[in-house]
Amino acid sequence: MSFLRVTSAWSVPQVPGFFIFGDSLVDNGNNNGLLTLARANYLPYGIDFPQGPSGRFSNGRTMADIIAQLLGFRGYIPPYADARASLSILRGLNFASGAGGIREETGDNLGQHYSLTEQVENFGNAVRVMRRIFRGNSTKLADYLSKCIFFSGMGSNDYLNNYFMPNLYSSSYDYSTKTFAAILLEEYTRQLTNLYDLGARKVAIIGVGQIGCIPYELARYNTDESENRTHCNEKINKAIAIFNKGLAKMVDRFNAQLPGSKFIYVNTFESSKDLVKNAASYGFEVIDKGCCGVGRNNGQITCLPLQQPCDNRTKYLFWDAFHPTEAANIIYAKKAYYSTSHTDAYPMNIRQLVMA
């Protein structure tokens, strides 16, 4: 089985629409017109993407792009920033924004972006357009939305560009890791409940990965030139593990309390551990450096405009200081879609969610 081949056995999409919420891991152009450092609409970003630089923070497709293909969608789900009030929005929209977080202040150090609260508000605007498309028939609109898949991957920046950035944010002084996770989960619950109130019923919540092991953190944590530069920052990983554990409980709570809802938790934290532990079997040779970047681990400065990236991109786990390569995204997407292990997807995978 080739991990790099993505095919769908379906000739038509398995669901009527696919809606994406998140940060730079799945942003596909919503930040292109904003005043922000969190932008990727320049080469070598998109070097392996058919349309070239699009705003995706990778060399190619994102995890959400690949899941859309597995769901049977032809082409790509467009960014909300490029959307027009037409029938085409019914096949889905991507609301994700680089630097966005659960908390409003998260990512402000990088410039403009859309927080999850703003992304859900933008979805509300889209729902109003959909209601006009359905000629005001709320029953038909609700039936359509209940069959769509919703993807929400948030929380990374709340740690990366907030809690573990104490020179700019006070959150790590104000809260313990346990309290901060509880605050994030409370806010996330409110935001996802708003999404449910707007019509979402089948929702895949994507966990936060091992941020303590990304090239950016490896470069900061392993500063001694003579030291091995592959030691992860477990302080960060342990904090994230608390949040992720809460996500799984949140899924159980939603499924018990929100009528007609089917929420699942995709455990990218464990998936990323598996990719590192079994890197060779997945075809990866470099797991501690970005394919494109500057300094230690190619992680001190992220990929610069027109910088020459590595040639063997399928051998790298990370594209830049923060983001996976397309090769890694394919594996994450396939685990989310196909895996029958509750370690990867709980209580079911995305393929089962479609049919639920």
Side-chain angles (χ1 to χ4, degrees):
M1 174 184 176
S2 170
F3 287 109
L4 297 183
R5 188 178 299 118
V6 178
T7 57
S8 171
W10 302 72
S11 57
V12 294
Q14 301 157 38
V15 292
F18 184 40
F19 296 93
I20 301 153
F21 303 81
D23 50 33
S24 58
L25 292 170
V26 290
D27 184 355
N28 65 346
N30 285 308
N31 279 18
N32 289 354
L34 302 182
L35 289 171
T36 178
L37 294 172
R39 250 183 13 194
N41 55 340
Y42 56 85
L43 284 169
Y45 287 92
I47 192 171
D48 298 313
F49 190 71
Q51 284 81 40
S54 58
R56 288 166 171 81
F57 291 74
S58 182
N59 58 304
R61 294 165 294 168
T62 69
M63 179 182 177
D65 287 328
I66 296 154
I67 288 173
Q69 288 182 274
L70 291 169
L71 288 170
F73 286 96
R74 294 179 180 274
Y76 297 94
I77 303 298
Y80 174 75
D82 295 345
R84 299 290 176 266
S86 67
L87 279 170
S88 62
I89 70 169
L90 295 179
R91 69 189 293 273
L93 288 169
N94 186 327
F95 298 88
S97 173
I102 295 168
R103 287 177 68 88
E104 285 301 304
E105 79 276 9
T106 288
D108 282 349
N109 53 296
L110 294 171
Q112 294 177 331
H113 58 273
Y114 298 104
S115 66
L116 182 56
T117 295
E118 291 170 313
Q119 291 179 37
V120 173
E121 288 172 356
N122 286 338
F123 176 67
N125 295 334
V127 169
R128 281 190 282 277
V129 175
M130 293 175 202
R131 186 168 281 111
R132 292 202 296 272
I133 292 172
F134 281 97
R135 299 180 185 276
N137 190 322
S138 296
T139 302
K140 285 187 177 180
L141 174 60
D143 181 63
Y144 153 77
L145 288 172
S146 72
K147 296 172 183 172
C148 296
I149 296 290
F150 292 77
F151 173 112
S152 181
M154 294 298 277
S156 296
N157 285 311
D158 294 289
Y159 287 96
L160 192 59
N161 287 296
N162 189 327
Y163 194 80
F164 287 105
M165 199 170 270
N167 56 324
L168 294 176
Y169 297 92
S170 66
S171 50
S172 61
Y173 300 111
D174 298 336
Y175 311 113
S176 67
T177 53
K178 189 175 180 180
T179 303
F180 187 67
I183 290 169
L184 286 182
L185 290 163
E186 183 180 357
E187 182 67 4
Y188 204 5
T189 296
R190 184 190 64 76
Q191 292 158 333
L192 290 174
T193 301
N194 288 344
L195 194 63
Y196 171 87
D197 290 341
L198 287 166
R201 292 296 180 269
K202 297 183 176 184
V203 183
I205 299 174
I206 316 302
V208 177
Q210 291 191 102
I211 290 177
C213 300
I214 64 175
Y216 172 76
E217 292 299 344
L218 293 178
R220 294 175 73 208
Y221 191 59
N222 304 293
T223 55
D224 189 332
E225 289 294 332
S226 63
E227 292 266 334
N228 187 329
R229 298 179 192 166
T230 62
H231 295 302
C232 297
N233 187 331
E234 292 304 332
K235 181 183 178 182
I236 295 177
N237 286 342
K238 285 176 182 175
I240 288 165
I242 297 170
F243 173 73
N244 282 338
K245 191 174 180 181
L247 289 181
K249 290 179 180 177
M250 186 169 72
V251 161
D252 284 336
R253 200 163 54 249
F254 277 143
N255 289 335
Q257 296 176 359
L258 298 180
S261 70
K262 296 176 181 71
F263 282 74
I264 69 168
Y265 167 57
V266 176
N267 193 346
T268 47
F269 189 93
E270 288 300 321
S271 296
S272 61
K273 282 169 68 174
D274 177 44
L275 259 65
V276 170
K277 183 180 177 182
N278 302 297
S281 66
Y282 286 113
F284 295 112
E285 295 175 1
V286 184
I287 60 173
D288 60 343
K289 296 181 180 68
C291 169
C292 185
V294 178
R296 281 189 302 274
N297 301 84
N298 279 352
Q300 287 179 287
I301 300 174
T302 199
C303 194
L304 298 171
L306 303 179
Q307 185 179 348
Q308 184 64 38
C310 66
D311 292 327
N312 52 342
R313 291 182 283 280
T314 60
K315 303 297 183 185
Y316 277 70
L317 183 59
F318 292 100
W319 160 247
D320 62 9
F322 304 96
H323 307 96
T325 55
E326 179 184 74
N329 281 329
I330 289 171
I331 297 167
Y332 288 132
K334 285 188 170 184
K335 280 177 174 284
Y337 186 81
Y338 288 114
S339 180
T340 54
S341 168
H342 281 180
T343 303
D344 295 325
Y346 169 83
M348 66 184 86
N349 59 39
I350 291 176
R351 191 182 193 187
Q352 293 164 330
L353 182 62
V354 168
M355 298 180 281

